[in-house]
Amino acid sequence: MIRLGVNIDHVATVRQARRIREPDPAWAVVQAELGGADQITLHLREDRRHIQDQDLLNVLSLASVPVNLEMAVTPEMVAIACGLERKPRSVTLVPERREEVTTEGGLDVAGCFEPSRAAVEVLRAAGMSVSLFVDPDPAQVEASVRSGASAIELHTGAFCEAWGTPQAGRELERLREAAVLGGRLGLRVHAGHGLNVRNVAAVARLPHVEELNIGHALIGRAIFLGLQAAVAEMKALIAQAEGNR
Ligand code: PXP
């Protein structure tokens, strides 16, 4: 069964708009789990624009499903992850630029190999499994294997942006080839970014994909449906697509 990781960052985005106490991303943990989330994903950004350090501690102590921490490859973030008493099950290493609205593009593991490799080694030694958020590019997939990571998360942003245009088919093919290569090389294959109720089925049908991380579309839909219902709806769409692959 493909796992659904619910990214709760945008609950904190709303809170930080006022810098007060609510809505608390910890509330989203309970709702997401009630809706069937298999994992809680959160991104502690260097600029702390949404999730704060205390949120990470709260989520780690509250969640009964595994927690996946997204973070940049920096000494500060590696130290934070390794210093946690209760650790996330997994860490996903992502690129970060302060001026970006959201994570744009994957980590350049091939071009900037040593920092990624070193971070993977330290995080794994501390007991966390490590996934690398990469573009669906064979060079990045191959470099990810060499880094010692156990998983890749394929960046689905280009496919999602191309949705509804002829380019979408080509982007889906790139994702398929990267998923097949990752699976053949022994990596676990995850995917995420920009997924929503319309485009998720195409990605859930790709071979080897065993985890999807979804944030913006779920939180957006939760405003109108409630988070529990939005997560349950997404889980059902994924299960249906998986049944057809
Ligand atoms: N996966 C990774 C590695 C991400 O950085 C993000 C965005 O924080 C997501 C998944 C979720 O993307 P979205 O919010 O577009 O669903």
Side-chain angles (χ1 to χ4, degrees), residues 7 59 62 74 77 97 107 115 131 134 147 171 177 184 221 224:
N7 181 311
V59 167
L62 183 66
T74 64
M77 288 298 155
R97 286 190 295 122
L107 193 64
S131 175
V134 292
S147 78
E171 292 297 341
E177 284 166 16
R184 184 157 58 74
R221 224 161 154 84
F224 303 100

Side-chain angles (χ1 to χ4, degrees), residues 7 9-10 43 70 92 94 102-103 133 153 192-195 213-217:
N7 181 311
D9 294 347
H10 289 321
H43 185 173
E70 296 177 357
T92 301
V94 302
T102 181
T103 315
F133 186 48
E153 178 169 333
H193 208 283
L195 297 174
N213 286 295
I214 307 181
H216 185 89

Side-chain angles (χ1 to χ4, degrees), residues 142-237:
E142 280 158 11
S144 299
V145 181
R146 282 189 283 119
S147 78
S150 52
I152 45 172
E153 178 169 333
L154 295 174
H155 196 314
T156 52
F159 163 68
C160 295
E161 270 171 38
W163 179 257
T165 74
Q167 182 63 18
R170 289 189 283 277
E171 292 297 341
L172 191 61
E173 214 34 52
R174 287 181 67 208
L175 286 165
R176 181 186 310 281
E177 284 166 16
V180 168
L181 179 62
R184 184 157 58 74
L185 295 176
L187 290 167
R188 295 183 168 277
V189 180
H190 308 163
H193 208 283
L195 297 174
N196 61 33
V197 290
R198 288 171 294 285
N199 59 29
V200 73
V203 174
R205 280 196 294 264
L206 293 175
H208 300 291
V209 168
E210 56 181 74
E211 177 183 306
L212 299 176
N213 286 295
I214 307 181
H216 185 89
L218 279 175
I219 301 302
R221 224 161 154 84
I223 295 170
F224 303 100
L225 302 179
L227 185 56
Q228 195 177 321
V231 171
E233 174 189 51
M234 190 66 81
K235 277 280 289 186
L237 289 169

Side-chain angles (χ1 to χ4, degrees), residues 1 4 9 22 33-34 51 55 75 82 94 114 125 150 153 157 162 165 179 182 185 196 198 201 231 237 240 242 244:
M1 261 259 294
L4 172 59
D9 294 347
E22 62 183 28
E33 288 191 17
L34 286 168
I51 295 293
D55 294 324
C82 292
V94 302
E114 187 46 32
S150 52
E153 178 169 333
T165 74
L185 295 176
N196 61 33
R198 288 171 294 285
V231 171
L237 289 169
Q240 192 183 16
E242 194 180 4
N244 294 331

Side-chain angles (χ1 to χ4, degrees), residues 83-126:
L84 290 165
E85 197 174 321
R86 193 187 290 245
K87 294 199 170 44
R89 167 86 60 89
S90 56
V91 167
T92 301
L93 297 177
V94 302
E96 237 177 69
R97 286 190 295 122
R98 276 175 194 266
E99 63 276 20
E100 70 190 0
V101 176
T102 181
T103 315
E104 293 166 1
L107 193 64
D108 184 10
V109 191
C112 194
F113 182 73
E114 187 46 32
S116 303
R117 190 211 60 76
V120 170
E121 183 178 359
V122 174
L123 292 163
R124 288 193 72 170

